[in-house]
Amino acid sequence: MYRAADDTWFVLIVTSDKLAAVAKAIGRPDLLTDPRFSDPAKLMANMPQLTAILDEVFRAKPMAYWYEVLSGVHVTFGAVRGPQEVINDPQLRMNDIVVPLEGAGGKLTSTISSPIQVHGVSKVPAKRAPDLGQHSEEILEELGFSATEIAGLRASGTLGKPTLQPAAAPGASPATAAKPTPTGATA
């Protein structure tokens, strides 16, 4: 990793087959005649010295300059992004890695796409997770619970906050009126 003059850090992969192109592009053709870097074995053995030289060179100009220089060399390089910057990386959006989030609210507008792709099946757009208990009643109905049983679960607090009980019928004791009917029991 190297740091440009504007404090942007970037990764550059310099392999023996790319050294000549990089050295010429950055204005250091003398590196090609340096005996420390004359063959792949020496290049690997002296990589710390080459890194120190490149550190000095790259600190002299901002990343915008190095981006233009290195883009024409066909070498692997890229800016190291911080957590706040990476979400706005255009490549992540172009490759559908960061996608819009359906039903998002507030500052939340996008999310990371599912990495799973099934041949012949379109991905479902990302959407917010349901609120806690949002679909409990529908799921219980699908599982065969009756409306009375679900109401009992709701009243007992099993499905969230218990609902207020209706006032006791005349002549009924307060304890009987406030006590929910157990699931599956008949009153």
Side-chain angles (χ1 to χ4, degrees), residues 40-103:
K42 288 181 181 178
L43 175 64
M44 290 307 297
N46 295 300
M47 191 56 82
Q49 290 87 350
L50 178 60
T51 299
I53 293 167
L54 294 178
D55 272 336
E56 186 177 324
V57 170
F58 291 135
R59 276 196 301 263
K61 304 268 186 189
M63 186 63 209
Y65 175 84
W66 295 120
Y67 183 83
E68 287 199 30
V69 167
L70 296 172
S71 290
V73 179
H74 304 291
V75 65
T76 302
F77 79 97
V80 177
R81 305 284 182 207
Q84 297 297 348
E85 297 170 303
V86 78
I87 195 72
N88 295 318
D89 186 322
Q91 288 187 9
L92 295 181
R93 293 188 188 276
M94 284 189 285
N95 289 300
D96 291 327
I97 295 169
V98 173
V99 294
L101 182 61
E102 254 182 49

Side-chain angles (χ1 to χ4, degrees), residues 69-153:
V69 167
L70 296 172
S71 290
V73 179
H74 304 291
V75 65
T76 302
F77 79 97
V80 177
R81 305 284 182 207
Q84 297 297 348
E85 297 170 303
V86 78
I87 195 72
N88 295 318
D89 186 322
Q91 288 187 9
L92 295 181
R93 293 188 188 276
M94 284 189 285
N95 289 300
D96 291 327
I97 295 169
V98 173
V99 294
L101 182 61
E102 254 182 49
K107 294 180 183 179
L108 186 61
T109 59
S110 54
T111 189
I112 304 298
S113 180
S114 167
I116 299 171
Q117 298 203 24
V118 179
H119 180 71
V121 178
S122 298
K123 275 192 175 184
V124 175
K127 58 185 174 183
R128 283 193 83 124
D131 289 333
L132 186 62
Q134 181 177 337
H135 299 113
S136 296
E137 292 184 20
E138 294 95 316
I139 292 168
L140 289 170
E141 285 175 9
E142 288 178 20
L143 292 173
F145 284 77
S146 71
T148 304
E149 291 171 320
I150 294 171
L153 291 170

Side-chain angles (χ1 to χ4, degrees), residues 142-187:
E142 288 178 20
L143 292 173
F145 284 77
S146 71
T148 304
E149 291 171 320
I150 294 171
L153 291 170
R154 172 78 54 211
S156 71
T158 303
L159 295 180
K161 287 186 175 180
T163 55
L164 294 174
Q165 297 296 321
S173 73
T176 306
K179 187 174 179 183
T181 305
T183 302
T186 57

